[in-house]
mmCIF file of all heavy atoms in Angstrom:
data_model
loop_
_atom_site.group_PDB
_atom_site.id
_atom_site.type_symbol
_atom_site.label_atom_id
_atom_site.label_comp_id
_atom_site.label_asym_id
_atom_site.label_seq_id
_atom_site.Cartn_x
_atom_site.Cartn_y
_atom_site.Cartn_z
ATOM 1 N N GLN A 1 225.639 335.438 106.444
ATOM 2 C CA GLN A 1 225.403 334.186 105.726
ATOM 3 C C GLN A 1 223.875 333.951 105.563
ATOM 4 O O GLN A 1 223.106 334.111 106.507
ATOM 5 C CB GLN A 1 225.995 332.977 106.452
ATOM 6 C CG GLN A 1 227.504 333.024 106.505
ATOM 7 C CD GLN A 1 228.174 332.923 105.166
ATOM 8 O OE1 GLN A 1 227.805 332.116 104.359
ATOM 9 N NE2 GLN A 1 229.157 333.807 104.909
ATOM 10 N N ASP A 2 223.481 333.602 104.324
ATOM 11 C CA ASP A 2 222.107 333.149 104.063
ATOM 12 C C ASP A 2 221.016 334.201 104.385
ATOM 13 O O ASP A 2 219.899 333.845 104.750
ATOM 14 C CB ASP A 2 221.747 331.840 104.798
ATOM 15 C CG ASP A 2 222.745 330.756 104.463
ATOM 16 O OD1 ASP A 2 223.050 330.611 103.245
ATOM 17 O OD2 ASP A 2 223.194 330.034 105.379
ATOM 18 N N VAL A 3 221.330 335.483 104.224
ATOM 19 C CA VAL A 3 220.328 336.490 104.468
ATOM 20 C C VAL A 3 219.312 336.479 103.311
ATOM 21 O O VAL A 3 219.707 336.314 102.141
ATOM 22 C CB VAL A 3 220.981 337.897 104.622
ATOM 23 C CG1 VAL A 3 221.659 338.332 103.358
ATOM 24 C CG2 VAL A 3 219.943 338.912 105.081
ATOM 25 N N LYS A 4 218.030 336.626 103.575
ATOM 26 C CA LYS A 4 217.028 336.537 102.585
ATOM 27 C C LYS A 4 216.152 337.783 102.454
ATOM 28 O O LYS A 4 215.467 338.002 101.464
ATOM 29 C CB LYS A 4 216.085 335.350 102.887
ATOM 30 C CG LYS A 4 216.779 333.970 102.737
ATOM 31 C CD LYS A 4 215.753 332.849 102.983
ATOM 32 C CE LYS A 4 216.489 331.525 102.761
ATOM 33 N NZ LYS A 4 215.604 330.380 103.087
ATOM 34 N N TRP A 5 216.147 338.646 103.532
ATOM 35 C CA TRP A 5 215.280 339.799 103.530
ATOM 36 C C TRP A 5 216.032 341.074 103.754
ATOM 37 O O TRP A 5 217.018 341.090 104.541
ATOM 38 C CB TRP A 5 214.239 339.630 104.649
ATOM 39 C CG TRP A 5 213.265 338.507 104.448
ATOM 40 C CD1 TRP A 5 213.507 337.195 104.809
ATOM 41 C CD2 TRP A 5 211.978 338.543 103.900
ATOM 42 N NE1 TRP A 5 212.400 336.424 104.542
ATOM 43 C CE2 TRP A 5 211.421 337.252 103.948
ATOM 44 C CE3 TRP A 5 211.195 339.551 103.319
ATOM 45 C CZ2 TRP A 5 210.209 336.913 103.495
ATOM 46 C CZ3 TRP A 5 209.939 339.253 102.910
ATOM 47 C CH2 TRP A 5 209.424 337.975 102.949
ATOM 48 N N LEU A 6 215.507 342.153 103.164
ATOM 49 C CA LEU A 6 216.019 343.510 103.434
ATOM 50 C C LEU A 6 214.938 344.216 104.191
ATOM 51 O O LEU A 6 213.801 344.397 103.739
ATOM 52 C CB LEU A 6 216.309 344.213 102.105
ATOM 53 C CG LEU A 6 216.616 345.714 102.205
ATOM 54 C CD1 LEU A 6 217.934 345.914 102.912
ATOM 55 C CD2 LEU A 6 216.619 346.353 100.776
ATOM 56 N N GLY A 7 215.253 344.647 105.405
ATOM 57 C CA GLY A 7 214.308 345.443 106.246
ATOM 58 C C GLY A 7 214.416 346.900 105.907
ATOM 59 O O GLY A 7 215.499 347.392 105.711
ATOM 60 N N GLN A 8 213.292 347.552 105.812
ATOM 61 C CA GLN A 8 213.287 349.043 105.518
ATOM 62 C C GLN A 8 212.285 349.757 106.436
ATOM 63 O O GLN A 8 211.266 349.194 106.824
ATOM 64 C CB GLN A 8 212.903 349.262 104.056
ATOM 65 C CG GLN A 8 213.931 348.802 103.080
ATOM 66 C CD GLN A 8 213.725 349.291 101.664
ATOM 67 O OE1 GLN A 8 214.589 349.070 100.814
ATOM 68 N NE2 GLN A 8 212.598 349.924 101.356
ATOM 69 N N GLY A 9 212.562 351.020 106.679
ATOM 70 C CA GLY A 9 211.742 351.862 107.525
ATOM 71 C C GLY A 9 210.745 352.686 106.687
ATOM 72 O O GLY A 9 210.327 353.762 107.139
ATOM 73 N N THR A 10 210.357 352.173 105.535
ATOM 74 C CA THR A 10 209.370 352.889 104.684
ATOM 75 C C THR A 10 208.085 353.156 105.497
ATOM 76 O O THR A 10 207.581 352.276 106.192
ATOM 77 C CB THR A 10 208.965 352.002 103.493
ATOM 78 O OG1 THR A 10 210.167 351.549 102.830
ATOM 79 C CG2 THR A 10 208.090 352.777 102.516
ATOM 80 N N ILE A 11 207.561 354.418 105.421
ATOM 81 C CA ILE A 11 206.327 354.725 106.075
ATOM 82 C C ILE A 11 205.217 355.062 105.128
ATOM 83 O O ILE A 11 205.442 355.164 103.904
ATOM 84 C CB ILE A 11 206.538 355.877 107.124
ATOM 85 C CG1 ILE A 11 206.973 357.179 106.475
ATOM 86 C CG2 ILE A 11 207.523 355.475 108.216
ATOM 87 C CD1 ILE A 11 206.991 358.398 107.412
ATOM 88 N N TYR A 12 204.001 355.229 105.603
ATOM 89 C CA TYR A 12 202.820 355.265 104.765
ATOM 90 C C TYR A 12 202.845 356.366 103.706
ATOM 91 O O TYR A 12 202.433 356.105 102.571
ATOM 92 C CB TYR A 12 201.557 355.329 105.625
ATOM 93 C CG TYR A 12 200.280 354.953 104.886
ATOM 94 C CD1 TYR A 12 200.250 353.924 103.989
ATOM 95 C CD2 TYR A 12 199.073 355.623 105.134
ATOM 96 C CE1 TYR A 12 199.096 353.576 103.286
ATOM 97 C CE2 TYR A 12 197.915 355.268 104.490
ATOM 98 C CZ TYR A 12 197.931 354.309 103.532
ATOM 99 O OH TYR A 12 196.768 353.949 102.898
ATOM 100 N N PRO A 13 203.252 357.577 104.047
ATOM 101 C CA PRO A 13 203.245 358.678 103.015
ATOM 102 C C PRO A 13 204.074 358.257 101.779
ATOM 103 O O PRO A 13 203.738 358.676 100.687
ATOM 104 C CB PRO A 13 203.839 359.848 103.771
ATOM 105 C CG PRO A 13 203.449 359.643 105.166
ATOM 106 C CD PRO A 13 203.563 358.162 105.384
ATOM 107 N N ASP A 14 205.178 357.524 101.982
ATOM 108 C CA ASP A 14 205.968 357.029 100.835
ATOM 109 C C ASP A 14 205.165 356.089 99.959
ATOM 110 O O ASP A 14 205.247 356.144 98.729
ATOM 111 C CB ASP A 14 207.214 356.275 101.321
ATOM 112 C CG ASP A 14 208.084 357.153 102.263
ATOM 113 O OD1 ASP A 14 208.201 358.378 101.967
ATOM 114 O OD2 ASP A 14 208.649 356.603 103.208
ATOM 115 N N VAL A 15 204.378 355.234 100.611
ATOM 116 C CA VAL A 15 203.566 354.273 99.887
ATOM 117 C C VAL A 15 202.429 355.023 99.074
ATOM 118 O O VAL A 15 202.198 354.706 97.919
ATOM 119 C CB VAL A 15 202.916 353.231 100.822
ATOM 120 C CG1 VAL A 15 202.017 352.253 100.089
ATOM 121 C CG2 VAL A 15 204.008 352.475 101.598
ATOM 122 N N ILE A 16 201.787 355.943 99.771
ATOM 123 C CA ILE A 16 200.706 356.720 99.094
ATOM 124 C C ILE A 16 201.207 357.421 97.898
ATOM 125 O O ILE A 16 200.640 357.440 96.809
ATOM 126 C CB ILE A 16 200.128 357.719 100.089
ATOM 127 C CG1 ILE A 16 199.433 357.009 101.304
ATOM 128 C CG2 ILE A 16 199.077 358.595 99.400
ATOM 129 C CD1 ILE A 16 199.090 357.944 102.434
ATOM 130 N N GLU A 17 202.413 358.051 98.078
ATOM 131 C CA GLU A 17 202.972 358.865 96.970
ATOM 132 C C GLU A 17 203.227 357.988 95.741
ATOM 133 O O GLU A 17 203.035 358.420 94.624
ATOM 134 C CB GLU A 17 204.277 359.523 97.476
ATOM 135 C CG GLU A 17 204.990 360.336 96.431
ATOM 136 C CD GLU A 17 204.311 361.629 96.054
ATOM 137 O OE1 GLU A 17 203.280 362.006 96.641
ATOM 138 O OE2 GLU A 17 204.736 362.232 95.059
ATOM 139 N N SER A 18 203.704 356.753 95.977
ATOM 140 C CA SER A 18 204.077 355.894 94.846
ATOM 141 C C SER A 18 202.870 355.436 94.021
ATOM 142 O O SER A 18 203.009 355.019 92.896
ATOM 143 C CB SER A 18 204.850 354.684 95.364
ATOM 144 O OG SER A 18 204.021 353.841 96.123
ATOM 145 N N VAL A 19 201.668 355.469 94.612
ATOM 146 C CA VAL A 19 200.464 355.107 93.850
ATOM 147 C C VAL A 19 199.423 356.176 93.927
ATOM 148 O O VAL A 19 198.245 355.994 93.932
ATOM 149 C CB VAL A 19 199.856 353.785 94.430
ATOM 150 C CG1 VAL A 19 200.752 352.622 94.174
ATOM 151 C CG2 VAL A 19 199.552 353.910 95.917
ATOM 152 N N SER A 20 199.857 357.475 93.931
ATOM 153 C CA SER A 20 198.943 358.583 93.998
ATOM 154 C C SER A 20 198.113 358.702 92.746
ATOM 155 O O SER A 20 198.404 358.149 91.736
ATOM 156 C CB SER A 20 199.720 359.883 94.287
ATOM 157 O OG SER A 20 200.460 360.238 93.150
ATOM 158 N N VAL A 21 197.054 359.498 92.870
ATOM 159 C CA VAL A 21 196.131 359.731 91.703
ATOM 160 C C VAL A 21 196.890 360.218 90.528
ATOM 161 O O VAL A 21 196.596 359.789 89.407
ATOM 162 C CB VAL A 21 195.047 360.741 92.140
ATOM 163 C CG1 VAL A 21 194.216 361.168 90.912
ATOM 164 C CG2 VAL A 21 194.138 360.128 93.208
ATOM 165 N N LYS A 22 197.856 361.118 90.717
ATOM 166 C CA LYS A 22 198.554 361.719 89.598
ATOM 167 C C LYS A 22 199.927 361.095 89.386
ATOM 168 O O LYS A 22 200.768 361.589 88.679
ATOM 169 C CB LYS A 22 198.731 363.234 89.872
ATOM 170 C CG LYS A 22 197.342 363.930 89.909
ATOM 171 C CD LYS A 22 197.510 365.381 90.247
ATOM 172 C CE LYS A 22 196.185 366.061 90.349
ATOM 173 N NZ LYS A 22 196.309 367.440 90.754
ATOM 174 N N GLY A 23 200.230 359.976 90.074
ATOM 175 C CA GLY A 23 201.514 359.361 89.969
ATOM 176 C C GLY A 23 202.513 360.076 90.841
ATOM 177 O O GLY A 23 202.170 361.035 91.484
ATOM 178 N N PRO A 24 203.700 359.594 90.982
ATOM 179 C CA PRO A 24 204.740 360.202 91.876
ATOM 180 C C PRO A 24 204.992 361.644 91.455
ATOM 181 O O PRO A 24 204.970 362.016 90.289
ATOM 182 C CB PRO A 24 205.974 359.338 91.576
ATOM 183 C CG PRO A 24 205.489 358.015 91.083
ATOM 184 C CD PRO A 24 204.215 358.358 90.313
ATOM 185 N N SER A 25 205.154 362.475 92.494
ATOM 186 C CA SER A 25 205.369 363.911 92.231
ATOM 187 C C SER A 25 206.674 364.128 91.511
ATOM 188 O O SER A 25 207.552 363.282 91.515
ATOM 189 C CB SER A 25 205.415 364.674 93.586
ATOM 190 O OG SER A 25 204.153 364.538 94.259
ATOM 191 N N ALA A 26 206.789 365.271 90.850
ATOM 192 C CA ALA A 26 208.026 365.631 90.194
ATOM 193 C C ALA A 26 209.184 365.624 91.188
ATOM 194 O O ALA A 26 208.993 365.987 92.343
ATOM 195 C CB ALA A 26 207.938 367.030 89.585
ATOM 196 N N THR A 27 210.351 365.165 90.785
ATOM 197 C CA THR A 27 211.475 365.112 91.688
ATOM 198 C C THR A 27 211.986 366.496 91.974
ATOM 199 O O THR A 27 212.424 367.216 91.090
ATOM 200 C CB THR A 27 212.561 364.273 91.084
ATOM 201 O OG1 THR A 27 212.090 362.940 90.849
ATOM 202 C CG2 THR A 27 213.793 364.171 92.011
ATOM 203 N N ILE A 28 211.979 366.894 93.265
ATOM 204 C CA ILE A 28 212.566 368.185 93.639
ATOM 205 C C ILE A 28 214.029 367.944 93.874
ATOM 206 O O ILE A 28 214.915 368.736 93.487
ATOM 207 C CB ILE A 28 211.911 368.712 94.980
ATOM 208 C CG1 ILE A 28 210.359 368.830 94.782
ATOM 209 C CG2 ILE A 28 212.534 370.032 95.369
ATOM 210 C CD1 ILE A 28 209.965 369.779 93.721
ATOM 211 N N LYS A 29 214.376 366.817 94.522
ATOM 212 C CA LYS A 29 215.746 366.425 94.691
ATOM 213 C C LYS A 29 215.752 364.954 94.937
ATOM 214 O O LYS A 29 214.799 364.415 95.480
ATOM 215 C CB LYS A 29 216.409 367.188 95.837
ATOM 216 C CG LYS A 29 215.638 367.097 97.158
ATOM 217 C CD LYS A 29 216.112 368.123 98.139
ATOM 218 C CE LYS A 29 215.232 368.121 99.414
ATOM 219 N NZ LYS A 29 215.491 369.235 100.270
ATOM 220 N N SER A 30 216.792 364.277 94.528
ATOM 221 C CA SER A 30 216.834 362.816 94.723
ATOM 222 C C SER A 30 217.122 362.544 96.159
ATOM 223 O O SER A 30 217.821 363.271 96.811
ATOM 224 C CB SER A 30 217.900 362.200 93.810
ATOM 225 O OG SER A 30 219.182 362.698 94.125
ATOM 226 N N HIS A 31 216.575 361.457 96.654
ATOM 227 C CA HIS A 31 216.795 361.057 98.054
ATOM 228 C C HIS A 31 217.651 359.839 98.131
ATOM 229 O O HIS A 31 217.643 358.983 97.262
ATOM 230 C CB HIS A 31 215.426 360.823 98.753
ATOM 231 C CG HIS A 31 214.723 362.116 98.981
ATOM 232 N ND1 HIS A 31 214.856 362.875 100.137
ATOM 233 C CD2 HIS A 31 213.859 362.822 98.178
ATOM 234 C CE1 HIS A 31 214.095 363.938 100.101
ATOM 235 N NE2 HIS A 31 213.479 363.916 98.870
ATOM 236 N N HIS A 32 218.382 359.678 99.268
ATOM 237 C CA HIS A 32 219.227 358.530 99.444
ATOM 238 C C HIS A 32 218.762 357.827 100.662
ATOM 239 O O HIS A 32 218.678 358.307 101.747
ATOM 240 C CB HIS A 32 220.652 359.023 99.641
ATOM 241 C CG HIS A 32 221.423 358.306 100.682
ATOM 242 N ND1 HIS A 32 221.726 356.945 100.547
ATOM 243 C CD2 HIS A 32 221.934 358.695 101.877
ATOM 244 C CE1 HIS A 32 222.403 356.565 101.613
ATOM 245 N NE2 HIS A 32 222.517 357.560 102.428
ATOM 246 N N ASN A 33 218.356 356.546 100.467
ATOM 247 C CA ASN A 33 218.094 355.664 101.606
ATOM 248 C C ASN A 33 218.276 354.241 101.157
ATOM 249 O O ASN A 33 218.623 353.969 100.025
ATOM 250 C CB ASN A 33 216.639 355.901 102.189
ATOM 251 C CG ASN A 33 215.618 355.721 101.125
ATOM 252 O OD1 ASN A 33 215.718 354.908 100.193
ATOM 253 N ND2 ASN A 33 214.500 356.431 101.285
ATOM 254 N N VAL A 34 217.979 353.327 102.029
ATOM 255 C CA VAL A 34 218.214 351.899 101.706
ATOM 256 C C VAL A 34 217.299 351.455 100.614
ATOM 257 O O VAL A 34 217.598 350.501 99.911
ATOM 258 C CB VAL A 34 218.032 351.044 102.992
ATOM 259 C CG1 VAL A 34 218.415 349.583 102.660
ATOM 260 C CG2 VAL A 34 218.923 351.522 104.089
ATOM 261 N N GLY A 35 216.236 352.210 100.346
ATOM 262 C CA GLY A 35 215.291 351.865 99.271
ATOM 263 C C GLY A 35 215.920 351.887 97.942
ATOM 264 O O GLY A 35 215.358 351.407 96.992
ATOM 265 N N GLY A 36 217.118 352.540 97.824
ATOM 266 C CA GLY A 36 217.766 352.656 96.496
ATOM 267 C C GLY A 36 218.691 351.418 96.225
ATOM 268 O O GLY A 36 219.388 351.404 95.261
ATOM 269 N N LEU A 37 218.610 350.360 97.066
ATOM 270 C CA LEU A 37 219.484 349.253 96.803
ATOM 271 C C LEU A 37 219.139 348.551 95.522
ATOM 272 O O LEU A 37 218.017 348.437 95.131
ATOM 273 C CB LEU A 37 219.382 348.320 97.991
ATOM 274 C CG LEU A 37 220.002 348.816 99.272
ATOM 275 C CD1 LEU A 37 219.734 347.841 100.453
ATOM 276 C CD2 LEU A 37 221.507 349.021 99.152
ATOM 277 N N PRO A 38 220.177 348.053 94.799
ATOM 278 C CA PRO A 38 219.965 347.494 93.490
ATOM 279 C C PRO A 38 219.339 346.095 93.508
ATOM 280 O O PRO A 38 219.398 345.404 94.519
ATOM 281 C CB PRO A 38 221.381 347.475 92.913
ATOM 282 C CG PRO A 38 222.262 347.349 94.121
ATOM 283 C CD PRO A 38 221.589 348.115 95.232
ATOM 284 N N ASP A 39 218.863 345.706 92.334
ATOM 285 C CA ASP A 39 218.211 344.391 92.190
ATOM 286 C C ASP A 39 219.188 343.269 92.463
ATOM 287 O O ASP A 39 218.780 342.170 92.844
ATOM 288 C CB ASP A 39 217.630 344.244 90.798
ATOM 289 C CG ASP A 39 216.427 345.184 90.550
ATOM 290 O OD1 ASP A 39 215.843 345.624 91.558
ATOM 291 O OD2 ASP A 39 216.134 345.503 89.397
ATOM 292 N N TYR A 40 220.513 343.504 92.206
ATOM 293 C CA TYR A 40 221.403 342.394 92.292
ATOM 294 C C TYR A 40 221.569 341.843 93.674
ATOM 295 O O TYR A 40 222.139 340.764 93.913
ATOM 296 C CB TYR A 40 222.790 342.756 91.689
ATOM 297 C CG TYR A 40 223.548 343.868 92.331
ATOM 298 C CD1 TYR A 40 224.151 343.705 93.607
ATOM 299 C CD2 TYR A 40 223.737 345.101 91.711
ATOM 300 C CE1 TYR A 40 224.849 344.724 94.208
ATOM 301 C CE2 TYR A 40 224.455 346.108 92.307
ATOM 302 C CZ TYR A 40 225.027 345.911 93.556
ATOM 303 O OH TYR A 40 225.730 346.919 94.119
ATOM 304 N N MET A 41 221.103 342.589 94.690
ATOM 305 C CA MET A 41 221.163 342.069 96.060
ATOM 306 C C MET A 41 220.193 340.862 96.238
ATOM 307 O O MET A 41 220.350 340.046 97.117
ATOM 308 C CB MET A 41 220.830 343.138 97.094
ATOM 309 C CG MET A 41 222.015 344.104 97.249
ATOM 310 S SD MET A 41 221.840 345.144 98.728
ATOM 311 C CE MET A 41 222.199 344.020 100.029
ATOM 312 N N LYS A 42 219.145 340.850 95.354
ATOM 313 C CA LYS A 42 218.208 339.738 95.320
ATOM 314 C C LYS A 42 217.615 339.389 96.657
ATOM 315 O O LYS A 42 217.547 338.207 97.104
ATOM 316 C CB LYS A 42 218.874 338.495 94.694
ATOM 317 C CG LYS A 42 219.418 338.731 93.283
ATOM 318 C CD LYS A 42 219.509 337.486 92.469
ATOM 319 C CE LYS A 42 220.088 337.696 91.076
ATOM 320 N NZ LYS A 42 219.775 338.977 90.413
ATOM 321 N N LEU A 43 217.223 340.397 97.409
ATOM 322 C CA LEU A 43 216.608 340.225 98.695
ATOM 323 C C LEU A 43 215.137 340.572 98.631
ATOM 324 O O LEU A 43 214.722 341.560 97.976
ATOM 325 C CB LEU A 43 217.317 341.092 99.757
ATOM 326 C CG LEU A 43 218.776 340.802 100.072
ATOM 327 C CD1 LEU A 43 219.312 341.796 101.060
ATOM 328 C CD2 LEU A 43 218.983 339.378 100.543
ATOM 329 N N LYS A 44 214.335 339.851 99.338
ATOM 330 C CA LYS A 44 212.918 340.222 99.491
ATOM 331 C C LYS A 44 212.842 341.373 100.513
ATOM 332 O O LYS A 44 213.695 341.449 101.380
ATOM 333 C CB LYS A 44 212.081 339.005 99.965
ATOM 334 C CG LYS A 44 212.043 337.896 98.934
ATOM 335 C CD LYS A 44 211.195 336.704 99.447
ATOM 336 C CE LYS A 44 211.971 335.910 100.431
ATOM 337 N NZ LYS A 44 211.198 334.634 100.824
ATOM 338 N N VAL A 45 211.851 342.194 100.387
ATOM 339 C CA VAL A 45 211.759 343.456 101.198
ATOM 340 C C VAL A 45 210.664 343.219 102.284
ATOM 341 O O VAL A 45 209.570 342.775 102.010
ATOM 342 C CB VAL A 45 211.390 344.663 100.343
ATOM 343 C CG1 VAL A 45 211.234 345.906 101.224
ATOM 344 C CG2 VAL A 45 212.579 344.925 99.402
#
């Protein structure tokens, strides 16, 4: 009931990659984690 936040175990290399000089690297394979949750959950991270 009344949950407002989604907790994630994102670590620094993931953050660096998302704003790297050349942009995110080409996808070698898709990854599955909680970070893929959809917008409709409407939770702050």
Side-chain angles (χ1 to χ4, degrees):
Q1 295 296 313
D2 302 319
V3 65
K4 293 183 179 177
W5 296 84
L6 171 68
Q8 292 191 174
T10 309
I11 62 174
Y12 197 39
D14 303 322
V15 177
I16 296 168
E17 178 69 9
S18 68
V19 292
S20 67
V21 170
K22 296 177 183 176
S25 298
T27 300
I28 303 300
K29 54 196 175 189
S30 60
H31 288 269
H32 140 64
N33 57 30
V34 185
L37 290 174
D39 292 338
Y40 63 72
M41 286 194 72
K42 303 204 181 327
L43 297 177
K44 294 181 283 186
V45 175

